[in-house]
Amino acid sequence: MTLHIDSTIQVKEQLKREKRNNYLTALSTSVLSVLLGASILYTIAIVVARPETPQLMAYVSPENNAPPNEPSPPVISRELAPSSSPQTQVAIPTIIAQTPSPISLPVLDIDMPEEPAMLEDGTLDGFGDFGSGLGDGTSAFGGTKAVGSTLEGTFYDTKQTPGGRSTGMNQKQYNEFLVSFIKSGWNPTTLNKYYKAPQKLFNAQFYIPRCPADDAPKAYNCDDRVKASFWVAIYRGKVKAPKTGTFRFVGAGDDYLAVRFNNETVLDYGWESAAMGKMYANNQNMRDAMMNKEGHEGLKKELREAGVMIPPVTFYKYSTSGHWNNCLGGVAAGKEIKVQAGKVYPIEILISEGPGGEFGTCLLLEEVGLPPLEKDSTGSPILPLFRTNNGVPKPDKSKEYVPFDKIGPVWESVK
């Protein structure tokens, strides 16, 4: 048996209303979707992509500098050079203003730093950070911070043990100590029996005009327990050759200056010889032997055996360094060294004072075969300093000094 249930009139009306509402909702949604899509397309095509009209500004020269009246040049079209891929060539018009409008340029007020000056106490005035990680040069003996491109300096007093007991050091013993140190390959353990200053200094160039010898222990903050005699400071590090070539160190020390480069002592010249234990100052026979003049065969043999200042040695005198000219014959050139650009080499620089009094040193660098940009009135070349950063001192020209070329290669230190 089948059961039929007829819908009531109310149910049928309810179904009609719901059907009508669903139809209106679908129609409204479709219309709104079309309007929204049209709005998006309008925004992209008209508002966002609308090209701006370029504006042209021109400079008006004063009337007295105005160009002569000439016919306006024609507009010239230039075609782009053809590329390797097939593209449409575009003509770019060259626009020339017909009616220029005036403009004004601001005046720039820039404070330029002054050149640093060498003060009487041996420090450099006005030296700060040179940027690019190349450090600074805040003292003639070095700065107290290990920043930038510098060599690390250690100060020793050979007159006392690490505990402060006297070693009884005298000039003869000091000469023997330095000769032994050089022959040992600059072995740092040979210095362990002497007092070492806790303070390290970090230096980038070695240019110290004559100053009191006690300026060194003052710089290393140990002058309260170190007298100004028989002290030695050694600067160590590694440097990167700025170019390929042949170089030689040039300089002098009062009392001692020695340089060890790539594990070989290549310069030893000053009031005394660190490698030989002999006095250079006021010793014309020694200088004649160094210059390979006739005679002095015994001294020449000693020089060759020491293996550093091998005859013939070149000397440079300068019109502004009379003291060193008279006593040392000027500054001396060391052995030639060959380097490759970018290669890293170990370097050690020894400066020292013997009996006390005054101290001074100057370390230059000469590229063999490269003519100097300038010469002194004596005919000697004016050479650049050996340096590991961009800093250069300003010598006090009221006193004796060795001139140098401010432009030269920088041998950046490598940690």
Side-chain angles (χ1 to χ4, degrees):
M1 180 179 69
T2 304
L3 180 64
H4 293 278
I5 301 176
D6 295 330
S7 301
T8 63
I9 296 174
Q10 292 82 2
V11 171
K12 290 181 180 180
E13 290 297 327
Q14 180 67 27
L15 291 174
K16 288 181 180 179
R17 284 195 297 272
E18 290 179 358
K19 183 177 180 180
R20 184 170 56 255
N21 291 340
N22 291 340
Y23 175 79
L24 292 175
T25 300
L27 180 62
S28 301
T29 301
S30 299
V31 172
L32 290 174
S33 298
V34 171
L35 292 175
L36 179 61
S39 300
I40 293 173
L41 291 175
Y42 175 85
T43 301
I44 295 173
I46 305 299
V47 177
V48 175
R50 177 180 296 170
E52 296 184 1
T53 303
Q55 298 181 355
L56 181 65
M57 298 182 69
Y59 168 73
V60 171
S61 61
E63 293 183 0
N64 57 346
N65 290 331
N69 277 330
E70 294 181 357
S72 300
V75 175
I76 304 172
S77 296
R78 297 176 182 167
E79 292 186 349
L80 294 176
S83 64
S84 57
S85 58
Q87 294 180 350
T88 305
Q89 293 184 343
V90 181
I92 301 177
T94 300
I95 303 174
I96 300 176
Q98 300 294 330
T99 307
S101 58
I103 63 172
S104 60
L105 299 177
V107 177
L108 300 180
D109 186 11
I110 302 176
D111 292 331
M112 298 300 292
E114 293 184 356
E115 226 175 353
M118 181 72 74
L119 302 179
E120 291 184 358
D121 63 357
T123 60
L124 299 180
D125 181 28
F127 269 77
D129 189 357
F130 286 91
S132 304
L134 291 182
D136 60 27
T138 54
S139 163
F141 289 92
T144 58
K145 295 182 180 179
V147 295
S149 176
T150 53
L151 303 178
E152 181 181 274
T154 306
F155 180 91
Y156 302 90
D157 179 20
T158 66
K159 300 186 300 300
Q160 58 181 309
T161 66
R165 295 179 61 184
S166 174
T167 62
M169 184 65 69
N170 57 39
Q171 185 65 55
K172 182 177 182 298
Q173 292 172 339
Y174 192 67
N175 286 341
E176 292 172 352
F177 150 69
L178 287 176
V179 170
S180 175
F181 177 72
I182 298 296
K183 287 184 176 179
S184 73
W186 297 51
N187 187 347
T189 61
T190 62
L191 299 164
N192 290 344
K193 59 184 177 181
Y194 301 117
Y195 169 79
K196 180 171 69 174
Q199 177 70 64
K200 299 277 190 177
L201 291 183
F202 303 87
N203 213 355
Q205 40 80 20
F206 300 86
Y207 187 87
I208 307 174
R210 293 166 62 192
C211 65
D214 60 2
D215 279 2
K218 284 181 181 178
Y220 279 91
N221 197 28
C222 61
D223 56 312
D224 58 338
R225 61 175 299 174
V226 175
K227 300 300 182 183
S229 62
F230 303 127
W231 58 256
V232 57
I234 301 175
Y235 296 80
R236 297 182 175 94
K238 296 179 180 179
V239 293
K240 184 188 299 183
K243 61 186 295 188
T244 297
T246 302
F247 296 84
R248 60 184 182 181
F249 290 93
V250 177
D254 181 0
D255 290 329
Y256 300 86
L257 170 66
V259 178
R260 187 170 186 250
F261 184 87
N262 198 23
N263 302 317
E264 180 184 10
T265 305
V266 295
L267 177 66
D268 168 36
Y269 195 66
W271 209 263
E272 302 267 355
S273 166
M276 295 179 59
K278 288 184 177 292
M279 182 176 286
Y280 285 138
N282 302 312
N283 190 340
Q284 189 61 49
N285 289 336
M286 177 64 79
R287 290 205 296 275
D288 288 344
M290 295 175 73
M291 291 185 286
N292 205 30
K293 292 186 177 180
E294 188 174 347
H296 315 290
E297 297 306 321
L299 289 176
K300 291 179 184 178
K301 181 180 178 181
E302 290 186 63
L303 287 164
R304 294 189 183 97
E305 289 176 349
V308 184
M309 307 302 287
I310 301 175
V313 174
T314 302
F315 289 86
Y316 295 132
K317 293 183 178 181
Y318 297 96
S319 58
T320 55
S321 55
H323 175 67
W324 282 0
N325 293 343
N326 298 331
C327 299
L328 298 174
V331 295
K335 296 168 66 174
E336 294 183 0
I337 56 175
K338 296 182 183 296
V339 298
Q340 296 178 5
K343 189 173 179 179
V344 176
Y345 300 89
I347 187 170
E348 296 161 273
I349 298 171
L350 178 152
I351 60 175
S352 174
E353 173 60 35
E358 290 185 332
F359 173 79
T361 192
C362 176
L363 184 60
L364 308 166
L365 189 69
E366 179 180 24
E367 183 172 358
V368 178
L370 182 68
L373 296 178
E374 187 179 359
K375 289 186 177 182
D376 188 66
S377 60
T378 61
S380 295
I382 296 180
L383 305 172
L385 291 172
F386 169 75
R387 54 181 178 155
T388 63
N389 70 17
N390 293 316
V392 291
K394 183 179 180 181
D396 184 351
K397 295 187 177 181
S398 67
K399 301 179 180 179
E400 291 184 348
Y401 68 97
V402 175
F404 60 86
D405 186 351
K406 294 183 179 180
I407 300 176
V410 173
W411 295 64
E412 183 179 357
S413 69
V414 178
K415 303 299 182 184

Coordinates of all heavy atoms in Angstrom, one line a residue, residues 131-203:
G131 N 90.9 54.6 9.0 CA 89.8 53.9 8.3 C 90.3 52.7 7.5 O 91.4 52.4 7.4
S132 N 89.3 52.0 7.0 CA 89.5 50.8 6.2 C 90.4 49.7 6.9 O 91.1 49.0 6.3 CB 90.2 51.1 4.8 OG 89.5 52.1 4.1
G133 N 90.3 49.7 8.2 CA 91.0 48.7 9.0 C 92.5 48.9 9.0 O 93.2 48.0 9.3
L134 N 93.0 50.1 8.6 CA 94.4 50.3 8.5 C 95.0 51.0 9.7 O 96.2 51.3 9.8 CB 94.8 51.0 7.2 CG 94.6 50.3 5.9 CD1 95.0 51.1 4.8 CD2 95.4 48.9 6.0
G135 N 94.2 51.2 10.7 CA 94.7 51.7 12.0 C 95.2 53.1 12.1 O 94.9 53.9 11.2
D136 N 96.0 53.4 13.1 CA 96.5 54.8 13.3 C 97.9 54.8 13.7 O 98.6 53.7 13.8 CB 95.6 55.5 14.2 CG 95.5 54.9 15.6 OD1 96.5 54.2 16.0 OD2 94.5 55.1 16.3
G137 N 98.4 55.9 14.0 CA 99.8 56.0 14.5 C 99.8 57.1 15.6 O 100.3 58.2 15.4
T138 N 99.4 56.7 16.8 CA 99.2 57.7 17.8 C 100.4 58.0 18.6 O 100.4 58.9 19.5 CB 98.1 57.2 18.8 OG1 98.5 55.8 19.3 CG2 96.8 57.1 18.2
S139 N 101.6 57.3 18.4 CA 102.8 57.6 19.0 C 104.0 57.2 18.1 O 103.8 56.3 17.3 CB 102.9 56.8 20.3 OG 104.2 56.8 20.8
A140 N 105.1 57.9 18.3 CA 106.2 57.6 17.5 C 106.7 56.2 17.7 O 107.3 55.5 16.9 CB 107.4 58.6 17.7
F141 N 106.5 55.7 19.0 CA 106.9 54.3 19.3 C 105.7 53.3 19.1 O 105.9 52.1 19.2 CB 107.4 54.2 20.7 CG 108.7 54.8 20.9 CD1 108.8 56.2 21.3 CD2 109.9 54.1 20.7 CE1 110.1 56.8 21.5 CE2 111.1 54.7 20.9 CZ 111.2 56.0 21.3
G142 N 104.5 53.9 18.9 CA 103.3 53.0 18.6 C 102.2 53.4 19.5 O 102.3 54.1 20.6
G143 N 101.0 52.9 19.2 CA 99.8 53.1 20.0 C 99.5 51.9 20.9 O 100.1 50.8 20.7
T144 N 98.7 52.1 21.9 CA 98.5 51.1 22.9 C 97.4 50.1 22.5 O 97.2 49.1 23.2 CB 98.1 51.7 24.3 OG1 96.9 52.6 24.1 CG2 99.2 52.6 24.8
K145 N 96.7 50.4 21.4 CA 95.6 49.5 21.0 C 96.0 48.7 19.7 O 96.5 49.3 18.8 CB 94.3 50.3 20.7 CG 93.7 51.0 22.0 CD 92.5 51.8 21.7 CE 91.9 52.4 22.9 NZ 90.6 53.2 22.6
A146 N 95.6 47.5 19.7 CA 95.9 46.6 18.6 C 94.8 46.7 17.6 O 94.1 45.8 17.4 CB 96.1 45.1 19.1
V147 N 94.8 47.8 16.9 CA 93.7 48.1 15.9 C 94.4 48.3 14.5 O 95.5 48.9 14.5 CB 92.8 49.3 16.3 CG1 92.0 49.0 17.5 CG2 93.7 50.5 16.5
G148 N 93.7 47.9 13.5 CA 94.2 48.1 12.2 C 95.5 47.4 11.8 O 95.8 46.4 12.4
S149 N 96.2 48.0 10.8 CA 97.3 47.4 10.2 C 98.6 47.9 10.9 O 99.1 48.9 10.6 CB 97.4 47.7 8.7 OG 98.5 47.2 8.1
T150 N 99.1 47.1 11.9 CA 100.3 47.5 12.7 C 101.1 46.3 13.0 O 100.7 45.1 12.9 CB 99.8 48.2 14.0 OG1 98.9 47.3 14.7 CG2 99.2 49.5 13.7
L151 N 102.3 46.5 13.5 CA 103.2 45.5 14.0 C 103.2 45.6 15.5 O 103.2 46.7 16.1 CB 104.6 45.7 13.4 CG 104.7 45.7 11.9 CD1 106.2 45.9 11.5 CD2 104.2 44.4 11.3
E152 N 103.3 44.5 16.2 CA 103.3 44.4 17.7 C 104.7 44.6 18.2 O 105.6 43.9 17.9 CB 102.7 43.1 18.2 CG 102.6 43.0 19.7 CD 102.0 41.7 20.1 OE1 100.8 41.6 20.2 OE2 102.8 40.8 20.4
G153 N 104.8 45.6 19.1 CA 106.1 45.9 19.7 C 106.2 45.4 21.2 O 105.3 45.6 22.0
T154 N 107.4 44.8 21.5 CA 107.6 44.3 22.9 C 108.9 45.0 23.4 O 109.9 45.0 22.6 CB 107.8 42.8 22.9 OG1 106.6 42.2 22.4 CG2 107.9 42.3 24.4
F155 N 108.9 45.5 24.6 CA 110.0 46.3 25.2 C 110.7 45.4 26.2 O 110.1 44.8 27.1 CB 109.5 47.6 25.8 CG 110.5 48.4 26.4 CD1 111.2 49.4 25.6 CD2 110.9 48.3 27.7 CE1 112.1 50.2 26.2 CE2 111.9 49.1 28.3 CZ 112.5 50.1 27.5
Y156 N 112.1 45.4 26.1 CA 112.9 44.6 27.1 C 113.9 45.6 27.7 O 114.5 46.4 27.0 CB 113.6 43.5 26.4 CG 112.7 42.5 25.8 CD1 112.3 42.6 24.4 CD2 112.2 41.3 26.4 CE1 111.4 41.7 23.8 CE2 111.3 40.4 25.8 CZ 111.0 40.6 24.5 OH 110.2 39.7 23.9
D157 N 114.2 45.3 29.0 CA 115.3 46.0 29.7 C 116.3 45.0 30.1 O 116.1 44.1 30.9 CB 114.8 46.7 30.9 CG 115.9 47.5 31.7 OD1 117.0 47.7 31.0 OD2 115.7 47.7 32.9
T158 N 117.5 45.0 29.4 CA 118.5 44.0 29.7 C 119.3 44.3 30.9 O 120.2 43.4 31.3 CB 119.5 43.9 28.5 OG1 120.2 45.1 28.3 CG2 118.7 43.6 27.2
K159 N 119.1 45.4 31.6 CA 119.8 45.7 32.8 C 119.2 44.9 34.0 O 119.8 45.0 35.1 CB 119.7 47.2 33.1 CG 120.3 48.1 32.0 CD 120.4 49.5 32.4 CE 119.0 50.1 32.7 NZ 118.1 50.0 31.6
Q160 N 118.1 44.3 33.9 CA 117.4 43.6 35.0 C 116.7 42.4 34.5 O 116.3 42.2 33.4 CB 116.4 44.6 35.7 CG 115.3 45.1 34.8 CD 114.4 46.0 35.5 OE1 113.9 45.7 36.6 NE2 114.2 47.2 35.0
T161 N 116.6 41.5 35.5 CA 115.8 40.2 35.3 C 114.3 40.5 35.3 O 113.9 41.6 35.7 CB 116.2 39.2 36.3 OG1 115.8 39.6 37.6 CG2 117.7 39.0 36.4
P162 N 113.5 39.5 35.0 CA 112.1 39.7 35.1 C 111.7 40.0 36.5 O 110.7 40.7 36.7 CB 111.5 38.3 34.7 CG 112.5 37.8 33.7 CD 113.8 38.2 34.2
G163 N 112.4 39.5 37.5 CA 112.1 39.8 38.9 C 112.7 41.2 39.4 O 112.4 41.5 40.5
G164 N 113.5 41.8 38.6 CA 114.0 43.1 38.9 C 115.4 43.1 39.5 O 115.9 44.2 39.9
R165 N 116.1 42.0 39.4 CA 117.5 41.9 39.9 C 118.4 42.5 38.8 O 118.2 42.2 37.6 CB 117.9 40.5 40.3 CG 117.1 40.0 41.5 CD 117.5 38.5 41.8 NE 118.9 38.5 42.1 CZ 119.6 37.3 42.3 NH1 118.9 36.2 42.3 NH2 120.8 37.3 42.6
S166 N 119.5 43.1 39.2 CA 120.4 43.7 38.2 C 121.2 42.6 37.5 O 121.6 41.6 38.1 CB 121.4 44.6 39.0 OG 122.4 45.1 38.1
T167 N 121.4 42.8 36.2 CA 122.2 41.9 35.4 C 123.7 42.3 35.3 O 124.5 41.6 34.7 CB 121.6 41.7 34.0 OG1 121.6 43.0 33.4 CG2 120.2 41.2 34.1
G168 N 124.0 43.6 35.7 CA 125.3 44.1 35.6 C 125.7 44.4 34.2 O 126.9 44.4 33.8
M169 N 124.7 44.7 33.3 CA 124.9 44.9 31.9 C 125.8 46.1 31.6 O 125.7 47.2 32.3 CB 123.6 45.1 31.2 CG 123.7 45.2 29.7 SD 124.3 43.7 28.9 CE 122.9 42.6 29.1
N170 N 126.8 45.9 30.7 CA 127.6 47.0 30.3 C 127.7 47.0 28.7 O 127.1 46.1 28.1 CB 129.0 47.0 30.9 CG 129.7 45.6 30.6 OD1 129.6 45.1 29.5 ND2 130.5 45.1 31.5
Q171 N 128.4 47.9 28.1 CA 128.4 48.1 26.7 C 129.0 46.8 26.0 O 128.4 46.3 25.0 CB 129.2 49.3 26.2 CG 129.1 49.6 24.7 CD 127.7 49.9 24.2 OE1 127.1 50.8 24.7 NE2 127.2 49.2 23.2
K172 N 130.0 46.3 26.5 CA 130.6 45.1 25.9 C 129.7 43.9 26.0 O 129.5 43.2 25.0 CB 131.9 44.7 26.6 CG 132.7 43.5 26.0 CD 134.0 43.3 26.7 CE 134.8 42.1 26.1 NZ 134.0 40.8 26.3
Q173 N 129.1 43.7 27.1 CA 128.1 42.6 27.3 C 126.9 42.8 26.4 O 126.3 41.9 25.8 CB 127.7 42.5 28.7 CG 128.8 42.0 29.6 CD 128.4 42.1 31.1 OE1 127.5 42.8 31.5 NE2 129.1 41.3 31.9
Y174 N 126.5 44.1 26.3 CA 125.3 44.3 25.4 C 125.6 44.0 24.0 O 124.7 43.5 23.3 CB 124.8 45.8 25.6 CG 123.5 46.1 25.0 CD1 122.4 45.5 25.6 CD2 123.3 46.9 23.9 CE1 121.1 45.8 25.1 CE2 122.1 47.2 23.4 CZ 121.0 46.6 24.0 OH 119.7 46.9 23.5
N175 N 126.7 44.4 23.5 CA 127.1 44.1 22.1 C 127.1 42.6 21.9 O 126.6 42.1 20.9 CB 128.5 44.6 21.8 CG 128.5 46.1 21.6 OD1 127.4 46.7 21.3 ND2 129.6 46.8 21.7
E176 N 127.7 41.8 22.8 CA 127.7 40.4 22.7 C 126.3 39.8 22.7 O 126.0 38.8 22.0 CB 128.5 39.8 23.9 CG 130.0 40.1 23.8 CD 130.8 39.7 25.0 OE1 130.1 39.3 26.0 OE2 132.0 39.8 25.0
F177 N 125.4 40.3 23.6 CA 124.0 39.9 23.6 C 123.3 40.1 22.2 O 122.7 39.2 21.7 CB 123.3 40.6 24.7 CG 121.8 40.8 24.4 CD1 120.9 39.7 24.4 CD2 121.3 42.0 24.1 CE1 119.6 39.8 24.1 CE2 119.9 42.2 23.8 CZ 119.1 41.1 23.8
L178 N 123.5 41.3 21.6 CA 122.8 41.5 20.4 C 123.4 40.6 19.2 O 122.6 40.1 18.4 CB 123.0 43.0 20.0 CG 122.1 44.0 20.8 CD1 122.4 45.4 20.4 CD2 120.6 43.7 20.6
V179 N 124.7 40.4 19.2 CA 125.3 39.6 18.2 C 124.7 38.2 18.3 O 124.4 37.5 17.3 CB 126.8 39.6 18.3 CG1 127.4 38.5 17.4 CG2 127.4 40.9 17.9
S180 N 124.7 37.7 19.6 CA 124.1 36.3 19.8 C 122.7 36.2 19.4 O 122.2 35.3 18.8 CB 124.3 36.0 21.3 OG 123.7 34.7 21.6
F181 N 121.9 37.3 19.7 CA 120.5 37.3 19.3 C 120.3 37.3 17.8 O 119.5 36.5 17.3 CB 119.8 38.6 19.9 CG 118.4 38.8 19.5 CD1 117.4 37.9 20.1 CD2 118.0 39.7 18.6 CE1 116.1 38.1 19.7 CE2 116.7 39.9 18.3 CZ 115.7 39.1 18.8
I182 N 121.1 38.1 17.1 CA 121.0 38.1 15.6 C 121.3 36.7 15.0 O 120.6 36.2 14.2 CB 121.8 39.2 15.0 CG1 121.4 40.6 15.5 CG2 121.8 39.1 13.5 CD1 120.0 41.0 15.0
K183 N 122.4 36.1 15.5 CA 122.9 34.8 15.0 C 121.9 33.7 15.4 O 121.9 32.7 14.7 CB 124.3 34.5 15.6 CG 125.4 35.4 15.0 CD 126.8 34.9 15.5 CE 127.9 35.7 14.8 NZ 129.2 35.3 15.3
S184 N 121.2 33.9 16.4 CA 120.2 32.8 16.8 C 118.9 32.8 15.9 O 118.0 32.0 16.2 CB 119.8 33.0 18.3 OG 118.9 34.1 18.4
G185 N 118.9 33.7 15.0 CA 117.7 33.9 14.1 C 116.6 34.6 14.8 O 115.4 34.4 14.6
W186 N 117.0 35.6 15.7 CA 116.1 36.4 16.4 C 115.2 35.6 17.3 O 114.0 35.8 17.4 CB 115.3 37.3 15.5 CG 116.0 38.3 14.7 CD1 117.1 38.0 13.9 CD2 115.8 39.7 14.5 NE1 117.6 39.2 13.3 CE2 116.7 40.2 13.6 CE3 114.8 40.6 15.0 CZ2 116.8 41.5 13.3 CZ3 114.8 41.9 14.7 CH2 115.8 42.4 13.8
N187 N 115.8 34.6 18.0 CA 115.0 33.7 18.8 C 114.5 34.4 20.0 O 115.2 34.9 20.9 CB 115.9 32.5 19.3 CG 115.1 31.5 20.0 OD1 114.0 31.7 20.4 ND2 115.7 30.3 20.2
P188 N 113.1 34.6 20.2 CA 112.6 35.4 21.3 C 112.9 34.7 22.7 O 112.8 35.5 23.7 CB 111.1 35.4 21.0 CG 110.8 34.2 20.1 CD 112.1 34.0 19.3
T189 N 113.2 33.4 22.7 CA 113.4 32.8 24.0 C 114.7 33.3 24.7 O 114.9 33.3 25.9 CB 113.4 31.3 23.9 OG1 114.5 30.9 23.0 CG2 112.1 30.8 23.4
T190 N 115.6 33.9 23.8 CA 116.9 34.4 24.4 C 116.6 35.7 25.2 O 117.5 36.1 25.9 CB 117.9 34.7 23.3 OG1 117.3 35.7 22.4 CG2 118.2 33.4 22.5
L191 N 115.4 36.2 25.1 CA 115.1 37.5 25.8 C 114.3 37.2 27.1 O 114.0 38.1 27.9 CB 114.2 38.4 24.9 CG 114.9 38.9 23.6 CD1 113.8 39.4 22.6 CD2 115.9 39.9 23.9
N192 N 114.0 35.9 27.4 CA 113.2 35.6 28.5 C 113.9 35.9 29.8 O 113.2 36.0 30.9 CB 112.8 34.1 28.5 CG 111.8 33.8 27.4 OD1 111.2 34.7 26.9 ND2 111.7 32.5 27.1
K193 N 115.2 36.0 29.8 CA 115.9 36.3 31.1 C 116.0 37.7 31.4 O 116.6 38.1 32.5 CB 117.4 35.7 31.0 CG 118.2 36.3 29.9 CD 119.6 35.6 29.8 CE 120.4 36.1 28.6 NZ 121.7 35.4 28.6
Y194 N 115.4 38.6 30.6 CA 115.4 40.0 30.9 C 113.9 40.5 31.2 O 112.9 39.9 30.8 CB 115.9 40.8 29.7 CG 117.3 40.4 29.3 CD1 117.6 39.8 28.1 CD2 118.4 40.6 30.2 CE1 118.9 39.4 27.8 CE2 119.7 40.2 29.9 CZ 119.9 39.6 28.7 OH 121.2 39.2 28.4
Y195 N 113.9 41.7 31.8 CA 112.6 42.3 32.1 C 111.8 42.6 30.9 O 112.4 43.2 29.9 CB 112.8 43.5 33.0 CG 111.5 44.4 33.2 CD1 110.6 44.0 34.1 CD2 111.3 45.5 32.4 CE1 109.4 44.8 34.2 CE2 110.2 46.3 32.5 CZ 109.2 45.9 33.4 OH 108.1 46.6 33.6
K196 N 110.6 42.3 30.8 CA 109.7 42.6 29.7 C 108.6 43.5 30.2 O 107.9 43.2 31.1 CB 109.1 41.3 29.1 CG 108.2 41.6 27.9 CD 107.9 40.3 27.1 CE 107.0 39.4 28.0 NZ 106.5 38.3 27.2
A197 N 108.4 44.6 29.5 CA 107.3 45.6 29.9 C 105.9 44.9 29.6 O 105.7 44.3 28.6 CB 107.4 46.9 29.1
P198 N 105.0 45.0 30.6 CA 103.7 44.5 30.4 C 102.9 45.1 29.2 O 102.1 44.5 28.5 CB 102.9 44.7 31.7 CG 104.0 45.0 32.7 CD 105.2 45.6 31.9
Q199 N 103.2 46.4 29.0 CA 102.5 47.2 27.9 C 103.1 46.8 26.6 O 104.3 46.9 26.3 CB 102.7 48.7 28.2 CG 102.1 49.6 27.1 CD 100.6 49.5 27.1 OE1 99.9 49.9 28.1 NE2 100.0 49.0 26.0
K200 N 102.2 46.5 25.6 CA 102.6 46.3 24.2 C 102.3 47.6 23.5 O 101.3 48.3 23.8 CB 101.8 45.1 23.6 CG 102.0 43.8 24.2 CD 103.3 43.1 23.7 CE 103.3 41.7 24.2 NZ 104.5 41.0 23.6
L201 N 103.0 47.9 22.4 CA 102.7 49.0 21.5 C 102.6 48.5 20.1 O 103.2 47.4 19.7 CB 103.8 50.1 21.6 CG 103.9 50.8 22.9 CD1 105.0 51.9 22.8 CD2 102.6 51.5 23.3
F202 N 101.8 49.2 19.3 CA 101.5 48.7 18.0 C 101.8 49.9 17.0 O 101.2 50.9 17.0 CB 100.0 48.3 17.9 CG 99.7 47.2 18.9 CD1 99.3 47.5 20.2 CD2 99.8 45.9 18.5 CE1 99.0 46.5 21.1 CE2 99.6 44.9 19.4 CZ 99.2 45.2 20.7
N203 N 102.8 49.6 16.1 CA 103.3 50.7 15.3 C 103.2 50.4 13.8 O 103.2 49.2 13.4 CB 104.8 51.0 15.6 CG 105.1 52.5 15.4 OD1 104.3 53.3 15.0 ND2 106.3 52.9 15.8

